[in-house]
Amino acid sequence: MTLFATIYVVCGKVNFTNLSRYSDLSDRTYRRHFERPYEFIGFNRCLIEEVIVPTHFQVGVVDASFVPKSGKATYGIDRFYNGKASRPERGLELSMIAVVDVDQAIGYTLSVQQTPPIEAEAEVSPNWTRVDDYLEHLRTTRSDLPGTVRYLVGDGFYSKLKWVNGVVELELEVIGKLRCDANLKYLYDGPQKSRGARRKYDGKVDLSDLRRWEALGEVEDDTELYTAIVWSVSLKRKIRVVYLLNRKHPEQLCYALLFSTDLDLDPIQLYEAYRARFQIEFIFRDAKQFTGLTDCQARDEQKLDFHFNAALTALNIAKAEQYLQRNPWEPFVFSMASYKRRKLNQHLLEAFIHNLDLDETLIKSHPNYSSLCEYGVLVS
């Protein structure tokens, strides 16, 4: 499997006419790989446990991404939201659950699956929605999440009652983003009347008045944090909210509302965890650009599933290899473009040595060999 995934990385695009150029195996052999089941989640879990330090702050991250695809016979074809075009389009959608090392700011894919079409959802239940599909994906993956992962982070789309309740039922806490006009209420903690219903709330939250919020100071230049525990009307529960205020342009203040179902979570950690959510965006970007995530021409459900998982697992392998070879005294910086260039240089040098019948030991021991491997690399 490692060889097959590495081929994905080296080739850049998964094209059967190109695969055999980088291996002694035939095109037919590679086609057969798509028809064999493989435990990608187990492989990814072992890899994550190998490279992420258990004492680091880790979170699970969930997101979905649009994959352009055509063909009436292709499994999963439907209309999904395409963030690049900012509108629904016909194609496929992938739901991903990743594990992000917040301290190192790097993420690894744990599980990915296709979102079923509307017709398949209607067969399950007339009230079934795509949020149910995402929850079902999480349920099947829950046991494979590292034991150190307590929080699941999602963007504003996942700030829904059904999603939050489903995640909490799986003994995870939610970190997400609220609408700027979210309906929030202060909790009442004053004296109660001797008779009648107990008073629960103390007025609606007005974000123009932060006197009842705890100020946390600046986390970045011109960016301030405030926090409070309030009642969310839409989520029907108490939540910890972090109010992020950007004063870079005083004439037009920008702000965002982050939240967590864990009332005891440190607000700074909440902010850092949500910021680390963007690592999943980088995973999708690198997989689409460098490991052929969007280049499969298969139509069968199993073959598509194998392809998507193999492309993302290849990216995991690349990150893990570079992470294990890093200088532990320097910040870890990963570039898939540089990794691909380095591997291609090594492959070309191997081809020169083999085809020109050169002395491999003499060539690889030369002081300039490493500089040739790094030729054109952006990040060393």
Side-chain angles (χ1 to χ4, degrees):
M1 176 57 211
T2 302
L3 171 63
F4 185 71
T6 304
I7 290 170
Y8 269 70
V9 176
V10 173
C11 293
K13 290 188 175 181
V14 182
N15 186 324
F16 286 123
T17 61
N18 293 331
L19 284 174
S20 58
R21 301 177 188 175
Y22 297 90
S23 173
D24 296 330
L25 302 179
S26 67
D27 297 345
R28 182 177 297 177
T29 301
Y30 290 114
R31 289 191 182 95
R32 284 199 291 265
H33 276 286
F34 281 71
E35 300 174 356
R36 298 176 182 176
Y38 187 81
E39 185 56 39
F40 284 101
I41 297 179
F43 179 90
N44 291 330
R45 183 186 66 246
C46 293
L47 184 145
I48 291 169
E49 292 173 349
E50 179 72 20
V51 296
I52 295 185
V53 180
T55 56
H56 285 186
F57 182 32
Q58 306 170 39
V59 296
V61 182
V62 61
D63 201 2
S65 182
F66 178 81
V67 174
K69 197 80 164 70
S70 59
K72 294 181 179 179
T74 301
Y75 171 77
I77 284 284
D78 206 338
R79 293 187 65 82
F80 298 98
Y81 182 77
N82 182 358
K84 184 177 180 180
S86 299
R87 63 175 182 269
E89 291 187 349
R90 188 168 177 80
L92 307 179
E93 185 184 73
L94 302 181
S95 172
M96 181 195 295
I97 297 174
V99 177
V100 175
D101 183 338
V102 178
D103 296 337
Q104 290 284 349
I106 185 169
Y108 300 89
T109 303
L110 177 63
S111 172
V112 62
Q113 72 173 27
Q114 271 190 260
T115 304
I118 292 293
E119 293 79 4
E121 294 174 342
E123 293 176 1
V124 176
S125 169
N127 298 321
W128 191 272
T129 67
R130 283 175 178 160
V131 173
D132 292 295
D133 287 319
Y134 304 146
L135 279 173
E136 188 62 28
H137 182 199
L138 178 60
R139 291 188 187 100
T140 58
T141 311
R142 175 65 181 94
S143 60
D144 292 295
L145 280 169
T148 52
V149 173
R150 292 183 51 213
Y151 302 96
L152 190 66
V153 188
D155 60 15
F157 172 84
Y158 296 90
S159 299
K160 294 177 171 61
L161 178 63
K162 181 185 289 188
W163 172 260
V164 171
N165 288 344
V167 174
V168 172
E169 288 175 3
L170 294 173
E171 299 181 350
L172 291 169
E173 301 288 352
V174 178
I175 293 176
K177 184 178 181 181
L178 297 171
R179 290 168 54 105
C180 294
D181 60 349
N183 190 358
L184 305 174
K185 295 182 178 181
Y186 290 112
L187 299 170
Y188 180 75
D189 58 358
Q192 298 286 349
K193 296 179 180 179
S194 58
R195 296 182 178 180
R198 296 178 60 84
R199 184 177 176 183
K200 298 180 179 179
Y201 313 117
D202 193 19
K204 187 173 181 178
V205 173
D206 181 4
L207 295 178
S208 64
D209 182 4
L210 300 176
R211 288 177 297 177
R212 301 176 67 174
W213 291 64
E214 178 187 353
L216 304 174
E218 288 191 353
V219 289
E220 297 177 8
D221 292 340
D222 302 317
T223 302
E224 302 173 1
L225 288 188
Y226 300 82
T227 186
I229 295 177
V230 298
W231 178 266
S232 171
V233 176
S234 62
L235 300 180
K236 300 180 180 179
R237 64 174 63 239
K238 295 179 184 178
I239 57 174
R240 174 170 289 282
V241 176
V242 169
Y243 178 65
L244 184 64
L245 180 62
N246 189 324
R247 297 184 181 273
K248 186 174 182 180
H249 303 288
E251 68 281 359
Q252 187 176 2
L253 298 178
C254 298
Y255 64 92
L257 286 174
L258 310 181
F259 80 95
S260 175
T261 55
D262 182 5
L263 305 182
D264 298 322
L265 176 62
D266 182 85
I268 301 297
Q269 278 194 316
L270 194 161
Y271 163 74
E272 292 175 345
Y274 190 82
R275 186 172 62 173
R277 186 201 74 80
F278 290 93
Q279 291 299 322
I280 200 170
E281 306 288 355
F282 301 149
I283 292 175
F284 279 124
R285 179 201 64 188
D286 288 345
K288 289 179 179 180
Q289 291 183 0
F290 300 108
T291 61
L293 183 69
T294 60
D295 297 319
C296 182
Q297 297 182 13
R299 297 178 297 178
D300 179 74
E301 178 182 1
Q302 181 176 339
K303 293 179 180 179
L304 286 168
D305 180 74
F306 186 98
H307 168 82
F308 296 139
N309 277 279
L312 289 161
T313 300
L315 184 59
N316 278 354
I317 294 172
K319 286 184 179 180
E321 179 181 340
Q322 189 162 327
Y323 180 80
L324 295 174
Q325 295 175 356
R326 79 196 189 286
N327 183 344
W329 308 110
E330 296 180 359
F332 177 62
V333 179
F334 175 77
S335 168
M336 191 61 195
S338 295
Y339 182 90
K340 178 182 176 181
R341 170 60 63 180
R342 189 179 295 111
K343 289 298 181 182
L344 181 58
N345 290 344
Q346 292 173 0
H347 170 77
L348 290 175
L349 289 172
E350 292 283 353
F352 292 151
I353 292 172
H354 175 74
N355 293 328
L356 299 179
D357 197 21
L358 301 176
D359 186 337
E360 182 177 358
T361 304
L362 182 63
I363 297 296
K364 292 189 175 182
S365 61
H366 195 281
N368 289 333
Y369 177 79
S370 58
S371 62
L372 289 174
C373 292
E374 298 293 317
Y375 179 78
V377 171
L378 300 176
V379 179
S380 59

